[in-house]
Amino acid sequence: MIVTARRAAGFCLLLLLALLGNATWVQAHKADTYDHMSGNRRPQIIRYQQPRGDILVADAPITGSPHTADSFDLAYGRSYTDGPLYAPVTGYASQLYGTSLLEGVEDDILAGTDPRLGAWPVITAVTRRRSAAGNVATTILPAAQQAAFNGLASTGNKGAVVALDPTTGAILALVSTPSYDPGAVAGANRAARAAWAALDGDPDRPMLNRALRETYPPGSTFKVVTAAAALASGTVADPDEPTATPDPYPLPETHTLLGNEADGCRNASLRHALTVSCNTVFAKLGVDMGAEVMRRQATAFGFDDPKLRIPVAVTRSVFPKSPDRPQTALSSIGQFDTRATPLQMAMVAAGIANDGEVMRPYLVERLTRDDGSTVVGTERQTLARAVPPSVARRLQRMMQDVVTTGTGGNARIDGAVVGGKTGTAQHGEQNRAVPYAWFIAYAKPSPDAKPAVAVAVVVEDGAADRADITGGGLAAPIAKAVMTAVLSR
Amino acid sequence: MSRWRRRETAAGEPLPPTRRNTEFLLLVFAVLVPVFAYANVGLARHGSIPPDTAKYGLGLGLLVLIAHILVRFFAPYADPVLLPIAALLNGLGLVLIYRLDLETPNVQAASSQLMWSAIGVILFAAVMIAVRDHRSLGKYAYLAAAVALFLMIVPVFFPAINGAKVWIRLGSFSLQPGEFAKIILVVFFASYLAGTRETLMMIGRRFCGVNLPRGRDLGPVLAVWLTSVGILVLERDLGTSVLYFGAFVVMLYVATARIGWILVGLILIALGAFVVGSAEPHVHSRVQNWMDPFASIHAGLGPGQLAQSLFCFAAGGLLGAGLGLGHSILVGFAAKSDFILATVGEELGLTGIAALLVLYALLVARGFRAGLTAPDAFGSLLAYGLSAVLAIQVFVVAGGVTALIPLTGMTMPFLAQGGSSVVTNWALIALLMKISDRGRRPLAPIEEPVPLPEEVRA
């Protein structure tokens, strides 16, 4: 009986070992999955157990955390000052519906659970002691944000504006309309449910951050990228030499004729083609260089980067993979499957303004503790070198021509050097939908100064009259207002 | 047998130590750990040590001291580790329940659990004093079987609570007679097998290379199986039936060394479990829930209890959130009883779970050791059976709340809220200590063999 008893004891031990193994599986291996599973209310409970940290704009909080209940659960809520203005920056923190954008990405800091908030981060990580909530200081410039928001709102259309500091990558304005008040969905009451249902069901999708999460055909603004590729690859040695371009340009291998809105595009020089926005010249250049050169140039400006974080995730902008020759022609003028976020087109303008160096865009200046000390600050970082400085300077002069003599006259600012490019992107079935109006630009306070601001504006679904919806008419004035706000800081 | 006689008859050799002082020292730790844990909860929640910490510590200390003094008189050579582990588990259980009481101001359970613990220690004392020799229990084998069956069947006539008919409810007072039945049933099994194991080992028929038992020997096995499945069907209690059957199979194997019978048993229980699991809706839903604990979330109904329990364990991670700082109350109504382990998992982490499992493993190992040193087959089998019951119960409960096996409504021995469970387990510990005392006692001459009842011997 002793042998069998020992075996039975071994069996019992095995049972307990199985438990230990399973506990290890659940608590060590599956823990992260379970912690973030929908239905697990812990993140919410932790988030609202103590006053939530603030998101700062120009060192002033644009959020608050009022006491909402006396229970351990949902004791503190979230409030927003100027909610619709800053919604594309803050996102929402809702007691019912989770978090988005900065509220989501920096939740650990704002909730006080990030071990770096403690005096001894390693020990804090082990003891899991919660610190007072930290704050998130953004790079937003209130005047620029307000100018962009007012400008877009005055058109009454959907759209987005992004403004960058070209030399650092700091995001100065980030606007998306129609906007919403995140404070309306912050609570856990019936009003919040109703507000959520209305926002969620709204066909205009107010909670969509169009500046970061929507891609548009960039239209003629993409010609800047094509011009950069032509100059950098040596396909065009001198921007003032005439190009051998017919008008209209028959798309290769097809009977389709590509025309121009502007006059004087036949054999136009690169400079003139950009100034008046000739489709034919850039379509032909794209075909001559080939899709691979175009694609490489787009990637050098930041296209096709699925991992871009500011630290909020940004949707990838694309230049189509292996298009045929007629598709390459259309892709090179920002049509067909070329798609870009407003942030991406602001990065194109910023890269050219910054002598060819594209800085990594960032929205968070630094994370701070309750007492104001810095947890971590964002360092300026080069994302990519898009074109050599000499090419960048030629492009700058061409873009400045667009504003002084071309389609971008509405962006002219007295006493400042402004370079820009208009765009009117066709889209929809057979391009019949109301086009998108684009404008990208940069501005320097003086010819020898460093660039102060780069901006991209897109306005969807403009007025019914198609001819009026050009980037120069709708979008350029908004860009001008934003740049003026930055220049006068 | 007097003190004098014990010293005298050791044939000149030094007496083995009683280890009672070791037990006392371990008991000091077993009381201090829960007291510190209690203070810890207060510090974590209110920033101050609860004012009644001293009172609570003294209360627990007093209970344990009474048990210890009784052991000194009535089982002086008993294993010194059993009582401290039981005390520690019971103390920790009280702290965990007190901690969960903080989340449910309207339902306080810690004080009644303390009362049940006291009753448990009284039963412990009763076993210590009344059962002078464990062998005397063997005489009551068939009485035990009858009582056990009665206890198991009674709840059928009471309304189901939370889907399982395992309760007797009289006013606000509820009992789980199945808990008491488990010890009594093991007494019967041990007695039956001690009397018939020789016969069972010798006679059998070879069939397909396996030694199968004779029909008449198979009778009791079948009876137990039928009872188990009957409980499963009538009371919708998968856990208890697995517990009874598992304990019986283990004891049968230990007694007869017949793998073939174990196979028969396992096939039978698997068959029974499969049929009931697919036909009986309550059990069936438990199985479904086990296969996909998160189905209700995907269906938009929010997390079920098992999902909440898994969330607790996940939230605890390696080191836990700290006592008083977790959110295991989200589990819902059985957080203090069936799901008490989720609180351990969340607040003490994998470290705490591992420590707890080691405690149970030690308890089980010491139980088996008591069986190995017992002077008689009945005592050995009783000790093995009781230890196996502990191990299987821990496995069924802990495996259930961590989704290793389908969830069944049972309580973690000593830890969980539940009067019947605590009281029964104190009696179980008392029996194990009695057996180990008999085995380690230096005198241990088997003065006169305790006769087995005629019917069992036949």
Side-chain angles (χ1 to χ4, degrees), chain A residues 1-28 30-42 45-46 49 72-73 125-130, chain B residues 103 197 250 253-255 257 294 297 303 308 310-321 327-328 330 345-346 349-350 353-354 357 360-361 364 368 372 377 380-381 384 388 391-392 394-395 398-399 402-404:
Chain A
M1 208 155 73
I2 289 173
V3 176
T4 50
R6 285 186 191 283
R7 281 189 197 145
F11 169 71
C12 290
L13 181 66
L14 221 61
L15 287 183
L16 295 175
L17 279 178
L19 289 178
L20 192 59
N22 188 53
T24 310
W25 171 257
V26 172
Q27 300 200 263
K30 298 292 281 180
D32 207 44
T33 316
Y34 292 166
D35 280 345
H36 298 101
M37 203 169 237
S38 74
N40 193 346
R41 285 198 58 237
R42 278 174 187 71
I45 292 172
I46 291 165
Q49 227 167 18
F72 84 101
D73 198 359
V126 173
T127 61
R128 292 196 184 183
R129 178 183 289 277
R130 278 182 76 178
Chain B
E103 316 292 348
R197 55 185 287 260
V250 168
Y253 170 72
V254 173
F294 307 108
I297 296 177
Q308 289 285 17
L310 287 173
F311 290 160
C312 289
F313 283 97
L318 291 183
L319 296 171
H327 305 290
S328 51
L330 291 172
E346 174 153 10
L350 182 59
I353 291 287
L357 288 176
Y360 282 114
V364 173
F368 270 97
L372 288 174
S380 293
L381 281 168
Y384 300 148
I392 295 171
V394 168
F395 177 75
T402 55
L404 181 61

Side-chain angles (χ1 to χ4, degrees), chain A residues 361-374:
Chain A
Y362 63 95
L363 182 57
V364 174
E365 185 74 52
R366 63 186 182 280
L367 306 174
T368 63
R369 293 187 188 85
D370 190 40
D371 61 6
S373 61
T374 299

Side-chain angles (χ1 to χ4, degrees), chain B residues 41-55:
Chain B
V41 172
L43 283 170
R45 292 299 292 254
H46 310 298
S48 60
I49 294 176
D52 50 352
T53 306
K55 198 179 78 186

Side-chain angles (χ1 to χ4, degrees), chain A residues 207-220:
Chain A
M207 287 193 290
L208 172 66
N209 187 332
R210 292 175 159 79
L212 307 176
R213 303 277 171 86
E214 180 72 295
T215 60
Y216 299 90
S220 302

Side-chain angles (χ1 to χ4, degrees), chain B residues 119-447:
Chain B
I119 296 176
V121 172
I122 291 171
L123 196 63
F124 178 90
V127 172
M128 276 288 151
I129 298 166
V131 184
R132 292 198 57 86
D133 189 320
H134 66 264
R135 284 170 288 186
S136 59
L137 288 174
K139 285 184 273 190
Y140 305 110
Y142 284 100
L143 178 63
V147 171
L149 271 182
F150 174 74
L151 287 176
M152 282 190 278
I153 288 167
V154 172
V156 174
F157 305 105
F158 285 82
I161 297 177
N162 306 327
K165 290 188 162 205
V166 294
W167 299 86
I168 300 178
R169 176 162 275 190
L170 301 166
S172 65
F173 196 75
S174 50
L175 277 178
Q176 246 179 314
E179 283 283 346
F180 300 111
K182 77 184 182 193
I183 293 192
I184 302 171
L185 207 63
V186 169
V187 169
F188 162 70
F189 287 161
S191 176
Y192 167 80
L193 289 170
T196 54
R197 55 185 287 260
E198 311 267 305
T199 328
L200 293 172
M201 280 169 80
M202 297 304 165
I203 305 158
R205 233 175 314 175
R206 278 191 85 77
F207 180 74
C208 296
V210 195
N211 258 329
L212 289 178
R214 290 186 307 184
R216 88 172 76 138
D217 298 325
L218 200 63
V221 188
L222 272 178
V224 173
W225 176 71
L226 280 174
T227 314
S228 303
V229 177
I231 293 164
L232 192 57
V233 175
L234 292 173
E235 304 182 358
R236 295 158 211 165
D237 188 359
L238 189 69
T240 309
S241 84
V242 166
L243 179 63
Y244 292 161
F245 201 80
F248 180 72
V249 166
V250 168
M251 291 171 76
L252 189 66
Y253 170 72
V254 173
T256 64
R258 290 229 158 157
I259 281 289
W261 296 21
I262 309 303
L263 288 180
V264 172
L266 287 180
I267 290 167
L268 287 179
I269 192 72
L271 213 67
F274 176 77
V275 170
V276 177
S278 45
E280 214 289 322
H282 177 72
V283 179
H284 182 66
S285 74
R286 290 282 175 89
V287 175
Q288 292 273 303
N289 200 245
W290 166 66
M291 292 199 297
D292 184 6
F294 307 108
S296 63
I297 296 177
H298 304 315
L301 299 170
Q305 274 194 301
L306 185 54
Q308 289 285 17
S309 170
L310 287 173
F311 290 160
C312 289
F313 283 97
L318 291 183
L319 296 171
L323 272 176
L325 298 175
H327 305 290
S328 51
I329 199 66
L330 291 172
V331 164
F333 74 85
K336 297 174 195 171
S337 49
D338 296 10
F339 287 94
I340 192 97
L341 207 60
T343 302
V344 179
E346 174 153 10
E347 305 198 339
L348 300 176
L350 182 59
T351 320
I353 291 287
L356 208 61
L357 288 176
V358 166
L359 284 179
Y360 282 114
L362 262 179
L363 206 54
V364 173
R366 288 297 177 146
F368 270 97
R369 221 174 85 137
L372 288 174
T373 56
D376 59 316
F378 168 69
S380 293
L381 281 168
L382 184 57
Y384 300 148
L386 294 175
S387 311
V389 158
L390 265 179
I392 295 171
Q393 185 159 353
V394 168
F395 177 75
V396 167
V397 184
V401 297
T402 55
L404 181 61
I405 56 169
L407 186 67
T408 57
M410 269 212 296
T411 53
M412 208 63 187
F414 288 112
L415 212 57
Q417 179 200 4
S420 328
S421 168
V422 169
V423 170
T424 313
N425 286 315
W426 274 109
L428 188 154
I429 293 295
L431 278 178
L432 282 180
M433 289 183 76
K434 272 288 178 188
I435 298 168
S436 75
D437 170 56
R438 183 50 76 173
R440 287 188 66 238
R441 204 180 282 191
L443 243 184
I446 302 178
E447 290 129 10

Side-chain angles (χ1 to χ4, degrees), chain A residues 252-338:
Chain A
E253 299 152 29
T254 69
H255 299 294
T256 311
L257 293 176
L258 184 68
N260 291 305
E261 305 266 323
D263 297 326
C265 285
R266 188 163 169 274
N267 295 333
S269 69
L270 188 65
R271 180 188 303 278
H272 184 72
L274 196 76
T275 309
V276 299
S277 200
C278 296
N279 292 335
T280 49
V281 174
F282 289 98
K284 180 170 180 296
L285 274 174
V287 174
D288 291 349
M289 289 183 285
E292 203 37 53
V293 175
M294 280 304 299
R295 207 175 135 74
R296 233 179 290 136
Q297 184 60 66
T299 307
F301 274 109
F303 276 72
D304 209 30
D305 179 0
K307 294 206 191 87
L308 185 62
R309 303 269 185 283
I310 63 163
V312 173
V314 179
T315 300
R316 163 160 65 165
S317 302
V318 288
F319 185 85
K321 275 200 177 86
S322 51
D324 61 22
R325 292 174 71 219
Q327 288 168 348
T328 305
L330 292 174
S331 300
S332 301
I333 57 169
Q335 299 287 162
F336 184 56
D337 283 346
T338 305

